[in-house]
Amino acid sequence: MEKFLDKLVEGSIDISAKLIIAVIVLAIGSKIIKAIESNLRKENKLKHLDASVKGFLISFISITSKIILFIVVLHILGVPTASIITVFGSCAVAIGLALQGGLSNIAGGLMILIFKPFKVGDYIVVGNLEGTVRTIELLYTKLTTVDNKVVMLPNGALSNSNIVN
């Protein structure tokens, strides 16, 4: 009975210490995440971004940081985190596959901005469409045709097609 009580006391001290450390890490981590989030909202480095893109980026950073903090706290408490990380990884792969078309448009937009096969104001011919480039956005490029119609071309397809500039 004495050994049982000794192990019970040792176990409760160990659990209490882990719980206190986890609460401290959670409190400090939450304050750091809030400080980073408010700093990003006030920071002028993101002023060139559209307000919706800026909001999305800040919320993405905040949610990702909170997930990492949650996993760290679980690890401190002794919960095996390998399976949790595996579930998050599987979710990320599923989301990536679901957004495959959008991601190819984003990659195409980045390639257009990096390699600059055309720029805003250029007259281009792509397949059976032709017109003046009005905007190059993250997912689409807008052309204005000769008969004053606005055509939105997905950047993924545009970056993989023949362009006459």
Side-chain angles (χ1 to χ4, degrees):
M1 184 70 172
E2 194 174 311
K3 288 182 182 179
F4 174 73
L5 289 175
D6 286 342
K7 286 189 178 185
L8 185 64
V9 169
E10 271 183 40
S12 63
I13 290 173
D14 186 41
I15 290 172
S16 298
K18 286 182 179 180
L19 190 60
I20 290 170
I21 292 171
V23 168
I24 291 171
V25 167
L26 184 64
I28 292 172
S30 295
K31 291 211 182 263
I32 290 172
I33 291 171
K34 284 181 185 177
I36 290 171
E37 187 177 343
S38 69
N39 191 19
L40 285 175
R41 289 192 191 284
K42 295 176 186 174
E43 190 68 35
N44 286 332
K45 292 179 183 175
L46 300 178
K47 70 179 177 185
H48 65 281
L49 294 176
D50 182 38
S52 58
V53 174
K54 182 179 175 182
F56 174 79
L57 186 63
I58 291 171
S59 66
F60 177 78
I61 291 170
S62 176
I63 290 171
T64 304
S65 301
K66 288 175 183 174
I67 289 172
I68 292 170
L69 178 63
F70 178 70
I71 291 172
V72 167
V73 168
L74 286 179
H75 182 71
I76 290 171
L77 292 174
V79 176
T81 55
S83 59
I84 295 171
I85 293 172
T86 303
V87 169
F88 281 127
S90 299
C91 289
V93 168
I95 291 170
L97 289 174
L99 297 174
Q100 185 175 0
L103 293 175
S104 83
N105 286 339
I106 292 171
L110 290 174
M111 289 179 62
I112 289 170
L113 292 173
I114 290 170
F115 296 117
K116 299 180 184 206
F118 55 86
K119 61 183 183 292
V120 174
D122 285 355
Y123 187 86
I124 62 171
V125 178
V126 181
N128 59 351
L129 296 171
E130 58 184 87
T132 305
V133 178
R134 290 296 164 217
T135 61
I136 302 171
E137 298 176 359
L138 188 62
L139 298 173
Y140 295 96
T141 296
K142 291 182 184 177
L143 299 179
T144 302
T145 61
V146 177
D147 54 350
N148 210 22
K149 293 180 183 175
V150 175
V151 180
M152 294 179 61
L153 299 170
N155 287 336
L158 189 59
S159 68
N160 291 324
S161 59
N162 294 329
I163 301 169
V164 178
N165 188 350

